[in-house]
Amino acid sequence: GAVVSQHPSRVICKSGTSVKIECRSLDFQATTMFWYRQFPKQSLMLMATSNEGSKATYEQGVEKDKFLINHASLTLSTLTVTSAHPEDSSFYICSARGERWANEQFFGPGTRLTVL
Amino acid sequence: EDKVVQSPLSLVVHEGDTVTLNCSYEVTNFRSLLWYKQEKKAPTFLFMLTSSGIEKKSGRLSSILDKKELFSILNITATQTGDSAVYLCAVEAPGGSEKLVFGKGTKLTVNP
């Protein structure tokens, strides 16, 4: 199967700072990337969908000005949590899909964000 | 609103037992149902089901979909401690983005 990486795997930051998380498809071109958030003992909640070269589509209740998504190339999408607060602490997972793999979604290993 | 419900939420068994995990769904324009296994990090893909009544099998794991009753089951036979994980069910419902709607998962613990 395809490989998706995320960086960093873990980040701790102070309240009020911004954090950028990268999601890369390593061996295929991802026409669409998805960003999920997972709180402890909860399921994955889709935050937004991004297509290369166009604006991300956010799910209801997700603030687009707070969670900035950029999908500048077919192998890279970034999620920036702006002015992070402790309640933003969560596990953020991206997934990517591309035509090469019959549009199956492949998940990255996730990023654990802790905001102090 | 699209909804995926998994049961039970948690399950504790002994090695060698057989388990059945359930997933029911309500979505508009169903496209496929997927099962994932999540250990410490990202979910890993197990099965994708699109047609009713056709069992998919991989080793000790198998899954089947009933599109009339809107549910799927995931069976694990001869469980091992390495099967301990959260099993997630997700439904793909096309709506321009082919997004996945996840259930809350079933936490399976297999004791030696």
Side-chain angles (χ1 to χ4, degrees), chain A residues 24-76:
Chain A
R24 292 182 186 272
S25 56
L26 297 185
D27 53 358
F28 70 103
Q29 292 186 327
T31 48
T32 306
M33 286 185 168
F34 303 85
W35 285 97
Y36 295 85
R37 181 165 55 182
Q38 186 176 33
F39 291 108
K41 299 185 180 178
Q42 298 291 317
S43 190
L44 279 73
M45 296 298 295
L46 180 66
M47 298 174 67
T49 303
S50 75
N51 293 293
E52 186 266 338
S54 61
K55 286 184 180 178
T57 303
Y58 289 80
E59 294 298 301
Q60 197 171 10
V62 178
E63 298 173 57
K64 59 181 70 174
D65 294 331
K66 179 166 183 63
F67 299 99
L68 302 178
I69 291 172
N70 185 287
H71 192 161
S73 76
L74 283 171
T75 59
L76 173 65

Side-chain angles (χ1 to χ4, degrees), chain B residues 4 6 23-24 33-36 72 87-91 101-103 105:
Chain B
V4 177
Q6 289 185 247
C23 176
S24 63
L33 184 144
L34 301 96
W35 284 97
Y36 291 88
S72 173
Y87 290 83
L88 295 168
C89 171
V91 175
V101 179
F102 281 87

Side-chain angles (χ1 to χ4, degrees), chain A residues 8-25:
Chain A
S9 59
R10 191 176 191 101
V11 57
I12 301 172
C13 69
K14 290 184 178 178
S15 189
T17 59
S18 293
V19 175
K20 181 187 281 189
I21 303 169
E22 293 186 350
C23 176
R24 292 182 186 272
S25 56

